[in-house]
């Protein structure tokens, strides 16, 4: 397959580029480098510095490369930025997605859209949440992702496409920026290594669903190969509290971690986990990496100095 990965210089996208190349696919990357690094992109993949908000330039890149599949992972991913600058977020996450769909329509490419399961379901959603729960996002980022999904599904109805949506849980692993705004596993591992105390907002009993980046990538490959349209949750189905996560990191670090407690952040969801039975049934996908193993790999990667291309 010839695959264009938008956001391919980022955390998930660069792992996906590696995996596609490893199985013999041809890969190009489209990334504006706002958070991406070219040193993460495997040498065999050509990188185009382009923003998905620039519809004309993107269409030219897609028109030249003529991919069979576009894995659309480029996004403004910071929920707090989306609250402060919702128009900027919508520009990247809504208009950018429409531009990708239009470029795909012009060339006949299929699109795989990286959405979120972590912040798309509302606070009253049953846990673990299934795909048929009505999305009620609490942030502009969640609304924009939901809107992107709606466009993807519309293109399937309107133009007979077979595009697909993956709703990722909290993806973690090597190459996630330990200094970034998202990615609590990497942030806490880096703090443990630096001998710093992590800050826990609220009582630390709030839960999230963590999925290892290698499993998120295998979900992309399974959805790419299936060729079928659909929307799938990609998570472990397991609720893990912030305090449990800290205890797990402490076991890997070999010393106790004593967090600092701060007031709960307004708007933060108390619980989250995704039911991924549909992905298991339709795609034969399962989250196979146990959290303690994935956490240990992330810790070792940070301990090794966060190398871009190996070290875990
Ligand atoms: N990491 C998670 O836990 C998680 C959870 C749910 C969904 N997702 C989604 O998965 C995708 C990848 O996330 P990630 O964690 O790898 O983030 P990331 O920030 O590491 O990667 C995103 C990449 O997109 C690029 N980018 C940003 N805006 C762009 C634009 N306008 N045009 C072109 N490139 C642009 C960035 O430079 C970066 O390389 C995103 O769509 C994100 O919303 C991630």
């Amino acid at each position: 397959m010839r695959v264009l990965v938008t956001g391919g210089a980022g955390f998930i996208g660069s792992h996906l580029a590696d995996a596609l190349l490893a199985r013999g696919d041809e890969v190009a990357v489209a990334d504006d480098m706002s958070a991406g690094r070219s040193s993460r992109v495997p040498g065999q993949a050509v990188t185009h510095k382009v923003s998905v908000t620039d519809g004309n330039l993107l269409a030219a890149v897609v028109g030249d490369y003529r991919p069979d599949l576009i894995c659309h992972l480029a996004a403004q991913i910071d929920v707090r930025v989306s609250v402060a600058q919702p128009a900027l977020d919508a520009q990247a996450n809504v208009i950018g997605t429409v531009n990708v769909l239009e470029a795909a329509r012009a060339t006949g490419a299929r699109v795989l859209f990286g959405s979120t399961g972590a912040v798309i379901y509302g606070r009253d959603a049953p846990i673990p949440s299934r795909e048929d729960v009505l999305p009620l996002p609490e942030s502009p980022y969640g609304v924009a992702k939901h809107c992107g999904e709606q466009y993807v599904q519309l293109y399937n109805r309107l133009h007979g496409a077979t595009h697909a949506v993956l709703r990722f849980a909290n993806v973690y692993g090597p190459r996630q920026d330990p200094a970034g705004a998202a990615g609590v596993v990497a942030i806490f591992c880096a703090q443990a290594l630096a001998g710093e105390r992590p800050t826990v907002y609220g009582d630390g009993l709030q839960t999230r669903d963590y999925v290892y980046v290698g499993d998120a990538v295998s979900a992309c490959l399974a959805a790419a190969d299936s060729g079928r349209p659909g929307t799938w949750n990609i998570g472990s189905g397991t609720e893990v509290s912030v305090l449990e996560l800290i205890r797990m990191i402490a076991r890997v670090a070999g010393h106790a971690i004593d967090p600092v407690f701060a007031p709960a952040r307004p708007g933060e969801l108390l619980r989250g986990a995704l039911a991924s039975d549909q992905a298991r049934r339709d795609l034969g996908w399962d989250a196979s990496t146990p959290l303690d193993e994935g956490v240990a790999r992330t810790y070792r990667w940070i301990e090794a100095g966060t190398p871009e291309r190996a070290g875990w």
Side-chain angles (χ1 to χ4, degrees), residues 7 9-13 31-36 50-53 73-75 77 92 114-116 141 145 168-171 176:
F11 164 48
I12 303 173
D31 197 301
D32 71 353
M33 298 297 167
S34 53
V50 54
S51 172
V52 292
T53 60
L73 298 174
I77 66 158
S115 186
T116 174
Y141 168 78
K145 284 289 186 181
F168 298 120
N170 290 69
V171 186
Q176 190 166 36

Side-chain angles (χ1 to χ4, degrees), residues 4 6 30 50-52 54-63 96 99-101 103:
L4 180 72
T6 76
V50 54
S51 172
V52 292
D54 185 339
N56 291 334
L57 188 53
L58 183 72
V61 167
V62 173
N99 286 339
V100 168
L101 288 166

Side-chain angles (χ1 to χ4, degrees), residues 290-301:
L291 183 57
D292 55 354
E293 191 182 317
V295 164
R297 279 188 214 161
T298 311
Y299 186 91
R300 282 199 295 274
W301 170 73

Side-chain angles (χ1 to χ4, degrees), residues 63-123:
D64 274 351
Y65 189 58
R66 302 201 80 80
D68 303 300
L69 177 72
I70 302 177
C71 293
H72 177 38
L73 298 174
Q76 189 302 110
I77 66 158
D78 191 325
V79 171
R80 275 172 292 176
V81 167
S82 83
V83 174
Q85 300 177 69
L88 178 142
D89 180 80
Q91 193 68 31
N93 293 345
V94 180
I95 302 298
T97 300
V98 174
N99 286 339
V100 168
L101 288 166
E102 275 299 281
R105 184 162 76 93
T107 55
R110 182 168 171 252
V111 174
L112 195 56
F113 174 50
S115 186
T116 174
V119 300
I120 213 163
Y121 301 111
R123 50 188 61 251

